[in-house]
Amino acid sequence: MAIHVRKPPEAAQAPGQEDPPDTRAGGAGERHKLTAVQGLAALSLDAMASVAYGPESIVLVLAAAGAYGMGFTLPVTLAIAALLAVLVASYRQVIAAFPDGGGSYAVAKRHLGRRTSLVAAASLILDYVLNVAVSVTAGVAALTSAFPGLHGERVWICLAVLVLVTAVNLRGVVDSAKAFLVPTALFVGSILAMITVGLFRDGPASTASAAGHASALGEGATAVGALLLLKAFAAGCSALTGVEAVANAVPSFRAPAARRAQRTEVALGSLLGVMLIGLSVLIGRFHLQPVEGVTVLAQLADASFGHNAAFYVVQFATMVLLALAANTSFGGLPVLMSLLARDNHLPHFFALKADRQVHRHGVVWLALVSAALLAFSGGDTNTLVPLFAIGVFVGFTICQVGMVRHWYGERPRGWQTKATLNGFGALLTGVSAVVVTATKFTEGAWLIVLALPLIVLGFEKVNRAYAQIGERLELGRVPQPPHRARSLVVVPVSGLSRLTCQALTAARSLGDEVLAVTVTHPAAEDRSAAEALRRDWELWNPGVDLVEVTSETRSLGRPVSGYVRKLAQTHPDAQITVLIPETEPAHLWQRILQNQRGSVVAHAVRRDTDAVICRLRFRLGAAPAEPQVPDASFTRP
């Protein structure tokens, strides 16, 4: 017979403690981890999907300067591609230096201090949560644009897509990668094909998609100011969201995890850079003008392929990938939250893994918060976009500064060049963060500015709570030798039955002294039942005293807990255990027939005393049943 002990939160896995052997390299858990190709499908959807709105963000800003401003699309994109190269190179180094994952959080924790690392973690959490909401709403917006009749149901469609992505991720990161491999390949293939075909055309094959739509191009401008270029650069940097996801989720890869993650990071950066530059070249080649109601990507597909089946394939692939780009957050955020939990900044249950190497608590939490955002925004992408990407720029900047400190401290060969590269990247991402926040502050970005310190304060409060628990438990110290204490077992009873007999048998095997407690009521209709129980107890003579506790208000839990409290006062050196006998029905539906007295007593004793609570389960079935050994839960002050 086994005693099952429910441990309190403070008994969760300690920070830095290793997972069970089957979750480490070479164990059975390896089959639930990612290869480089699977990692590209699972963790790159956010970055890949940004191709759909990154170039458009640049064009819409430059369009204010008219056709002259549009000529700067390629230079701005090349600057973004250069920043992308810096970020990829930096995160390759982050992966090698921090193979346990965490990205900017891990870098800042080691080189910039705990408080800065918490700011980085808070910014990443905000970015990941908003990425889910923005990706889902953008994908559904593409669907409702094609089928306007669904516009009124967009919130429910968003929630359905979120449920689908969540369910796939609860089955494991490998299953999610396999499920999204085909959509990712279809999108990347269609974009690359569109760029290749477009480069061989002298002019657009079709302009049918933009026909009849008003142009968003400004008129009369003959100069482009530095502020406009900075704004265009900052807007286009939204295409860089998701680049950090691979570094955050290194533990999700198969061994050698760091090497596979580095290959995935390079592949992601290469594909993203080629697509961004290729699309910008096509924008200049076809002299594209932004129009209201039609995306830039749709116009480019129309110009390259013509208004045919290939055009609709690009639109369909874009719609699907936008909706599924939320998967990047489900791959990166739970790993980050597990690291925060191991550092005592989040509840420890976020560090737990399921059989398929899934941090299920992190996945479910992300889904619930994202669902709340979707409901709050009404499924409208424009409500969420002003809040998007600010967090990731903050994380980028902190990570780059941290890597500069890393190179200065380690000083390997060529460290000056690497530190200069990271310093330049920190400057660019820092400027982008300031520009994006300033330009979108009144549109809702102030919420992010307010939320960041609040999340950091939450981290600090959780950490202080765990510190107090650790001090109370004297963690890190050698405890005094255990000793045997006198054991008193209290058994609440309401009548004589086989359950009562089994409970007293179990109690006498557990303790030195057993006391049976029954709650009586002074009302006339209850006196006869109390007298009958007292008479039957004397005739039965089980060798255990029956203690009567009177309750004026017909309550059950408080009288028992009050008696236990008095026992603790009169026997301060004794270990008191309350053994609560309960029946367990043969069928699940029969549980509604139970009176729940055991739960009421257990709750009151746990709330008011320090006694050990044991719940003895007597299984009801066709054959004579043997009671299960009690489940013990230890209550603490």
Side-chain angles (χ1 to χ4, degrees):
M1 295 187 295
I3 297 179
H4 304 284
V5 181
R6 293 197 306 270
K7 295 182 180 180
E10 62 267 24
Q13 184 183 41
Q17 182 176 336
E18 292 184 348
D19 292 320
D22 64 337
T23 66
R24 296 194 296 265
E30 282 294 296
R31 69 177 181 272
H32 297 303
K33 294 191 174 183
L34 298 168
T35 64
V37 175
Q38 291 171 342
L40 193 62
L43 302 172
S44 70
L45 295 182
D46 178 17
M48 295 297 181
S50 64
V51 170
Y53 51 79
E56 182 162 9
S57 299
I58 299 173
V59 168
L60 288 176
V61 172
L62 294 177
Y68 183 76
M70 292 291 295
F72 287 86
T73 301
L74 183 57
V76 171
T77 303
L78 289 175
I80 293 173
L83 177 57
L84 173 63
V86 172
L87 290 174
V88 169
S90 175
Y91 277 108
R92 281 189 79 253
Q93 301 301 326
V94 171
I95 291 169
F98 301 89
D100 291 332
S104 57
Y105 168 69
V107 175
K109 179 185 171 186
R110 180 181 296 181
H111 298 294
L112 300 177
R114 187 176 61 88
R115 184 62 62 84
T116 305
S117 71
L118 294 181
V119 174
S123 66
L124 286 173
I125 287 175
L126 287 173
D127 177 64
Y128 276 136
V129 172
L130 286 167
N131 172 59
V132 174
V134 169
S135 298
V136 171
T137 54
V140 173
L143 175 66
T144 56
S145 296
F147 303 97
L150 298 175
H151 185 75
E153 307 296 329
R154 64 186 183 278
V155 175
W156 293 109
I157 298 173
C158 286
L159 293 176
V161 173
L162 179 61
V163 169
L164 172 64
V165 176
T166 303
V168 172
N169 277 277
L170 285 174
R171 287 196 48 84
V173 66
V174 171
D175 283 349
S176 70
K178 291 178 180 177
F180 302 142
L181 188 59
V182 173
T184 305
L186 178 62
F187 177 80
V188 173
S190 62
I191 296 297
L192 293 179
M194 181 181 70
I195 293 172
T196 302
V197 173
L199 290 176
F200 285 96
R201 290 192 181 277
D202 295 328
S206 170
T207 57
S209 60
H213 294 268
S215 174
L217 200 66
E219 296 181 0
T222 59
V224 175
L227 183 60
L228 185 66
L229 290 177
L230 279 177
K231 189 175 180 180
F233 175 80
C237 279
S238 61
L240 302 180
T241 58
V243 172
E244 78 290 348
V246 177
N248 288 333
V250 177
S252 298
F253 286 85
R254 293 181 186 176
R259 191 177 304 168
R260 291 182 187 274
Q262 285 179 322
R263 288 201 293 264
T264 302
E265 185 74 46
V266 172
L268 169 60
S270 300
L271 286 173
L272 183 58
V274 168
M275 288 191 290
L276 289 175
I277 295 173
L279 293 177
S280 296
V281 171
L282 292 187
I283 290 172
R285 189 178 186 85
F286 297 139
H287 304 289
L288 183 142
Q289 296 183 7
V291 297
E292 297 178 1
V294 181
T295 65
V296 168
L297 193 63
Q299 292 186 64
L300 291 176
D302 200 13
S304 294
F305 291 129
H307 210 73
N308 49 31
F311 168 81
Y312 289 102
V313 168
V314 174
Q315 295 304 102
F316 174 77
T318 303
M319 177 192 71
V320 172
L321 200 76
L322 279 170
L324 300 182
N327 192 69
T328 297
S329 295
F330 283 97
L333 182 57
V335 175
L336 174 62
M337 294 178 74
S338 73
L339 294 177
L340 286 165
R342 292 186 181 187
D343 290 340
N344 294 333
H345 295 301
L346 283 178
H348 283 167
F349 59 77
F350 283 115
L352 301 178
K353 283 185 180 180
D355 294 338
R356 292 174 172 266
Q357 301 298 293
V358 181
H359 295 93
R360 284 186 177 169
H361 294 286
V363 170
V364 172
W365 180 88
L366 175 58
L368 292 176
V369 175
S370 300
L373 274 177
L374 290 172
F376 169 76
S377 66
D380 182 18
T381 307
N382 293 328
T383 303
L384 299 168
V385 166
L387 311 179
F388 190 46
I390 296 175
V392 74
F393 285 132
V394 174
F396 281 163
T397 305
I398 292 175
C399 184
Q400 298 282 339
V401 173
M403 289 306 294
V404 172
R405 293 286 301 271
H406 173 76
W407 297 128
Y408 185 78
E410 298 291 331
R411 300 199 178 190
R413 175 184 251 176
W415 70 271
Q416 295 96 333
T417 302
K418 295 177 179 179
T420 301
L421 191 64
N422 289 132
F424 181 63
L427 176 63
L428 292 180
T429 54
V431 169
S432 299
V434 172
V435 172
V436 171
T437 304
T439 55
K440 297 183 178 181
F441 189 82
T442 57
E443 300 176 30
W446 62 271
L447 287 172
I448 303 299
V449 176
L450 179 64
L452 274 173
L454 291 178
I455 294 176
V456 172
L457 289 176
F459 290 154
E460 296 280 17
K461 187 173 182 62
V462 172
N463 186 264
R464 284 195 298 270
Y466 275 124
Q468 293 171 358
I469 292 172
E471 184 66 25
R472 189 72 179 272
L473 294 178
E474 298 183 355
L475 296 178
R477 307 177 193 171
V478 178
Q480 297 179 355
H483 64 279
R484 190 182 187 282
R486 182 188 174 204
S487 178
L488 295 178
V489 182
V490 177
V491 182
V493 299
S494 58
L496 296 187
S497 66
R498 187 181 176 191
L499 178 61
T500 307
C501 177
Q502 294 288 1
L504 293 179
T505 299
R508 296 186 70 170
S509 67
L510 291 175
D512 300 318
E513 183 179 348
V514 178
L515 297 170
V517 177
T518 184
V519 179
T520 61
H521 308 290
E525 61 269 24
D526 296 316
R527 290 175 186 167
S528 58
E531 292 173 357
L533 175 60
R534 190 181 310 116
R535 182 176 61 253
D536 292 343
W537 195 272
E538 292 175 354
L539 291 174
W540 183 35
N541 191 21
V544 175
D545 292 338
L546 177 65
V547 179
E548 296 184 22
V549 179
T550 303
S551 173
E552 301 288 343
T553 60
R554 289 185 174 274
S555 63
L556 183 62
R558 287 188 180 276
V560 174
S561 66
Y563 175 73
V564 172
R565 206 163 47 243
K566 290 180 181 178
L567 271 183
Q569 293 171 355
T570 56
H571 301 82
D573 297 329
Q575 173 63 63
I576 300 177
T577 302
V578 180
L579 189 147
I580 303 172
E582 298 175 300
T583 58
E584 184 167 309
H587 303 287
L588 184 63
W589 69 269
Q590 292 176 338
R591 292 186 180 181
I592 62 174
L593 305 178
Q594 294 178 291
N595 54 32
Q596 305 300 323
R597 288 181 178 178
S599 298
V600 171
V601 172
H603 175 72
V605 173
R606 179 180 292 111
R607 179 191 60 209
D608 299 333
T609 75
D610 296 334
V612 176
I613 300 173
C614 297
R615 304 181 72 167
L616 182 140
R617 307 292 175 84
F618 187 88
R619 298 186 187 277
L620 300 177
E626 290 295 332
Q628 301 296 306
V629 171
D631 288 340
S633 63
F634 295 85
T635 62
R636 304 185 187 277

